[in-house]
Amino acid sequence: MGTVLHIDLSSGKIEREPLSDRLRLNYIGGRGINSRILYDSVGPDTEPLSPENILIFGTGTVVGTIAPSAGRTTVTAKSPLTGILGDANAGGHFSVEMKRTGYDHIVFTGKAEKPVYLWIDNDHVELRPADQLWGKNVSETQERIHRELGDPMVKIATIGPAGENLVKYASIIFEASHAAGRTGMGAVMGSKNLKAVAVRGTKGVKVAHPGPFMRLSRELYERIINNPVYKGMAFYGTPYFTVGMYKTGWLSLKNSQTNEWPDALKLSHRILKKDYFVKMLACTACPRHCNQAWIVKDGPYAGSRGAKVEYGAIAGFGHGCLITDFAAIAKMNLLSDEYGLDVIEMGFALSTSMEWYEKGLITKDDSDGIDLSWGNAEAAIEVIHKVARREGFGNLLAEGPVRAAKQLGRGAEKHIPMYSKGMTYGMDDVRAIKGYALSAATSTRGADHLRGMPGLEMIPTASTPEILEQRFGTAEAGIASSYKKAPLVVYTQNLCTLADCLEVCKYNTEFQGEAMNINDLAGLFSLATGVEMDEKAISTAADRIYAVEKAFLVRAGLTREDDALKGKWGSEPIVGGPCDGERIHPDKFSKLLDEYYKLRGWDANGIPTASTLSALGLEDINKDIEGKRTPQVT
């Protein structure tokens, strides 16, 4: 749409700026442009919860078009959880509505004196008082804004009490159920006294070549719905993964003490579909409709309902804590959405606390009298309330598991299953999936799957040995336990970067063994914008974006030591299940990291070389980080 909206919350000043050719041609859109704006605006000494941090909402290049699943939003800031680059991505319908107001990005600076929310109605932009909304949960906030504006079609992104109370992993919730969950973006929003962003847009989104764009989009829709992975997710949503991950030995249980637990199958997708799921819902322009609306019909949580519950919540709250009652898990998921909490970080905080309790590192004196025994769903629910309100023991856990463990001492840190760069990740046991492990370790926002989980190594039907050999130099790219993964990981990270720039859902790309690849994304970009980019050119743009994000980390002092899996998974083998004994071999992983750095054009310490940055047109960034390199490496 060609416009960036700047909101100075301190002064109330609102300005519009044309989207520069430098940004749109070199950084594509969405996450890419967000990351470059963040790099240029926030330095290594900026406190994440200070007015000097900025908060950016970004739509993508093909949002508002018929491109498959083109309806996601990236929110970017310096992370209060990790202290490095932070961003989070959410689906739903907000992004399209924001795009149709005429703005590609919204940049918030400063801090409002009192709580406010931003209201955008096409060309009308204003900050409105939000004192009456402060302290309200997500659904009540949305209902009140809809009543105040007199329009139920307004799309809203809001924080709950967790963001207001600066919980380090507070999320931003879009339309009551879609979470921009990771890295604590909700806390940044809360620190600025910004309660919500409400948008209503009616402007059309034009593409440069409508006929060819429509034909390519139609072809991609057909490939998506005819892919072998499609039916499972379309019918069950992401809970479809649960049984497969367990039977393969890739599902970690009891805070990673074991990968074997027969009760895991009590959370089967088929059981949930039969007893709880009531309707399939879809995000904008998505043929998959993987959101499963659910209702609890009886028991202590009867009447609880929600629009979705993801595999990540089931695995963290359920398998991680040995809770088999889905009604309780659904209630925990609902509370997390209403308070605005990242379910992945919250799940790890709970399961790690239960292990601390089991091992005697904490007692009821530490936990406010709560019995944190394995499987105690009522206790877990009580802790979620305390975390969101920062009460008692919850105030410690509100810092995130890594920070909480360091504050607790007593050897608590060694009981965290896995983290990287200060952020934990869910129950997918990457010790058995080496490409996934490399991607999580080298993610630019901390341990994560959405930065580049290589689905082609996990889904046998996604490719063939011959094609893998041709594309990635070895058929072993498709063998989970193989360490020959560097080209596959770089490719998948670039694919995910570009998906976040166009703001299409990764689950419809090769990230999940699905239809769309980088060449397809290049085609969508070219036909939408009229700027011709082939696979090589758009991959170079992805390299550039990843280098900028990496430089943000380097400038903050991170090195090769931080591109690692820390916690249990970095030093202990898997116990139980089909992958019993699998581990991350230090020497093999170090060699794999060397290969990855070489492909990226980074030195042995994980820092982009001067020649790499020059080739990417990033000479200005080279000046920022050249002093970080070791003298013998250039």
Side-chain angles (χ1 to χ4, degrees):
M1 303 300 280
T3 305
V4 179
L5 183 64
H6 291 270
I7 310 293
D8 185 335
L9 293 166
S10 297
S11 66
K13 187 175 182 180
I14 298 170
E15 294 183 315
R16 296 163 178 85
E17 175 192 13
L19 182 63
S20 69
D21 286 349
R22 166 181 171 265
L23 287 176
R24 71 183 185 90
L25 297 178
N26 291 308
Y27 300 96
I28 307 300
R31 168 183 151 194
I33 291 177
N34 280 15
S35 291
R36 183 69 219 211
I37 292 173
L38 183 75
Y39 184 92
D40 292 339
S41 305
V42 173
D45 297 326
T46 301
E47 290 295 326
L49 296 177
S50 72
E52 288 70 39
N53 198 3
I54 67 171
L55 183 72
I56 314 160
F57 281 61
T59 67
T61 317
V62 296
V63 167
T65 74
I66 63 168
S69 60
R72 300 191 68 84
T73 309
T74 295
V75 185
T76 305
K78 190 172 185 181
S79 168
L81 179 68
T82 64
I84 57 173
L85 179 143
D87 64 38
N89 187 274
H93 308 281
F94 177 96
S95 190
V96 172
E97 202 74 20
M98 175 179 152
K99 190 76 170 278
R100 289 174 178 165
T101 67
Y103 304 109
D104 298 299
H105 301 265
I106 306 172
V107 181
F108 294 95
T109 56
K111 176 182 180 179
E113 184 177 350
K114 295 182 178 180
V116 296
Y117 75 91
L118 180 69
W119 166 227
I120 306 176
D121 183 8
N122 288 323
D123 295 328
H124 176 79
V125 182
E126 67 170 314
L127 289 168
R128 299 173 68 104
D131 303 79
Q132 75 282 10
L133 304 174
W134 207 252
K136 305 302 181 186
N137 64 26
V138 164
S139 60
E140 187 173 357
T141 298
Q142 301 224 17
E143 290 168 7
R144 288 190 175 212
I145 291 176
H146 280 144
R147 288 200 303 269
E148 182 176 315
L149 298 176
D151 186 352
M153 299 304 292
V154 170
K155 305 304 178 190
I156 301 168
T158 184
I159 58 172
E164 298 170 4
N165 293 326
L166 308 184
V167 175
K168 294 289 172 60
Y169 46 97
S171 58
I172 302 171
I173 306 295
F174 292 73
E175 306 157 61
S177 62
H178 298 277
R182 309 250 61 198
T183 72
M185 295 298 94
V188 177
M189 199 162 159
S191 74
K192 295 184 173 298
N193 277 334
L194 177 63
K195 178 65 174 178
V197 179
V199 293
R200 188 73 167 98
T202 57
K203 298 179 181 180
V205 178
K206 296 180 181 180
V207 297
H209 304 292
F213 186 86
M214 181 173 288
R215 287 192 290 274
L216 176 57
S217 296
R218 186 182 298 118
E219 176 192 333
L220 293 174
Y221 275 104
E222 290 295 321
R223 281 163 49 190
I224 289 167
I225 64 176
N226 289 315
N227 190 283
V229 182
Y230 169 80
K231 290 184 179 179
M233 277 192 66
F235 192 66
Y236 297 106
T238 57
Y240 172 66
F241 301 142
T242 306
V243 172
M245 293 296 287
Y246 176 71
K247 289 185 175 180
T248 311
W250 298 343
L251 181 59
S252 184
L253 309 159
K254 198 182 180 184
N255 203 47
S256 293
Q257 292 187 39
T258 180
N259 285 21
E260 190 168 19
W261 182 46
D263 284 353
L265 300 180
K266 291 182 179 179
L267 297 171
S268 158
H269 53 287
R270 290 186 176 87
I271 293 173
L272 306 187
K273 184 75 172 183
K274 178 173 68 74
D275 295 340
Y276 298 98
F277 295 167
V278 294
K279 188 177 182 180
M280 294 178 286
L281 304 171
C283 299
T284 293
C286 186
R288 186 179 298 280
H289 48 75
C290 69
N291 298 331
Q292 299 289 326
W294 55 270
I295 295 176
V296 177
K297 300 173 185 176
D298 49 38
Y301 311 108
S304 297
R305 62 179 63 210
K308 62 188 297 191
V309 58
E310 301 280 12
Y311 159 77
I314 296 169
F317 295 147
H319 302 97
C321 299
L322 299 190
I323 295 171
T324 57
D325 180 2
F326 177 76
I329 294 167
K331 178 68 174 181
M332 294 158 72
N333 184 86
L334 179 62
L335 285 173
S336 297
D337 284 350
E338 289 288 7
Y339 280 130
L341 287 165
D342 174 17
V343 295
I344 292 178
E345 208 76 24
M346 188 69 248
F348 253 136
L350 287 168
S351 65
T352 302
S353 297
M354 287 180 174
E355 183 167 337
W356 290 341
Y357 189 79
E358 177 193 36
K359 298 291 197 283
L361 275 69
I362 60 173
T363 67
K364 286 185 178 180
D365 290 337
D366 301 292
S367 64
D368 306 327
I370 300 173
D371 177 8
L372 288 171
S373 298
W374 295 110
N376 190 339
E378 292 77 12
I381 288 171
E382 189 173 353
V383 170
I384 291 173
H385 287 301
K386 284 181 170 290
V387 167
R389 298 166 182 163
R390 275 192 174 270
E391 295 175 352
F393 183 59
N395 190 49
L396 173 68
L397 295 186
E399 293 296 299
V402 177
R403 291 172 182 264
K406 290 177 180 178
Q407 289 183 29
L408 184 63
R410 311 173 195 175
E413 200 169 346
K414 70 179 183 180
H415 296 284
I416 300 174
M418 191 273 274
Y419 62 97
S420 180
K421 304 178 182 71
M423 188 163 76
T424 63
Y425 179 57
M427 310 312 290
D428 294 354
D429 201 328
V430 301
R431 287 176 289 186
I433 321 168
K434 306 308 193 248
Y436 198 164
L438 176 65
S439 179
T442 57
S443 162
T444 50
R445 67 173 186 175
D448 184 30
H449 65 304
L450 291 172
R451 273 301 198 262
M453 179 191 78
L456 292 174
E457 74 171 340
M458 300 171 67
I459 305 171
T461 59
S463 190
T464 66
E466 293 76 18
I467 292 175
L468 292 169
E469 176 86 38
Q470 180 182 2
R471 295 182 65 186
F472 306 112
T474 174
E476 288 190 34
I479 301 173
S481 60
S482 171
Y483 283 86
K484 296 182 178 180
K485 295 293 175 61
L488 173 62
V489 169
V490 171
Y491 173 84
T492 311
Q493 287 179 339
N494 282 355
L495 173 71
C496 289
T497 300
L498 294 168
D500 286 339
C501 292
L502 274 66
E503 295 296 355
V504 298
C505 182
K506 298 181 183 78
Y507 282 101
N508 288 324
T509 73
E510 286 185 319
F511 163 86
Q512 190 57 42
E514 275 282 6
M516 291 192 287
N517 55 41
I518 288 180
N519 188 56
D520 296 320
L521 299 185
L524 289 172
F525 177 88
S526 299
L527 295 173
T529 64
V531 177
E532 188 63 34
M533 278 201 187
D534 59 14
E535 181 173 355
K536 181 178 180 181
I538 205 166
S539 294
T540 298
D543 287 335
R544 181 180 300 113
I545 293 161
Y546 219 78
V548 169
E549 294 177 350
K550 180 66 173 181
F552 192 96
L553 276 56
V554 171
R555 194 172 59 176
L558 274 66
T559 66
R560 180 188 180 104
E561 292 183 1
D562 298 289
D563 285 340
L565 303 181
K566 299 185 179 180
K568 296 180 186 178
W569 292 1
S571 58
E572 298 177 8
I574 291 174
V575 176
C579 294
D580 182 60
E582 276 279 359
R583 60 174 299 172
I584 300 297
H585 191 285
D587 292 340
K588 291 180 180 179
F589 191 80
S590 181
K591 182 180 178 182
L592 176 58
L593 193 58
D594 288 337
E595 294 170 358
Y596 171 86
Y597 285 164
K598 185 176 181 180
L599 285 173
R600 281 280 182 207
W602 301 352
D603 69 20
N605 204 26
I607 300 175
T609 65
S611 59
T612 294
L613 293 176
S614 178
L616 295 172
L618 299 175
E619 289 85 354
D620 59 323
I621 286 181
N622 183 53
K623 293 177 182 178
D624 292 341
I625 67 171
E626 58 185 351
K628 301 288 187 180
R629 298 190 188 98
T630 52
Q632 70 272 23
V633 180
T634 60

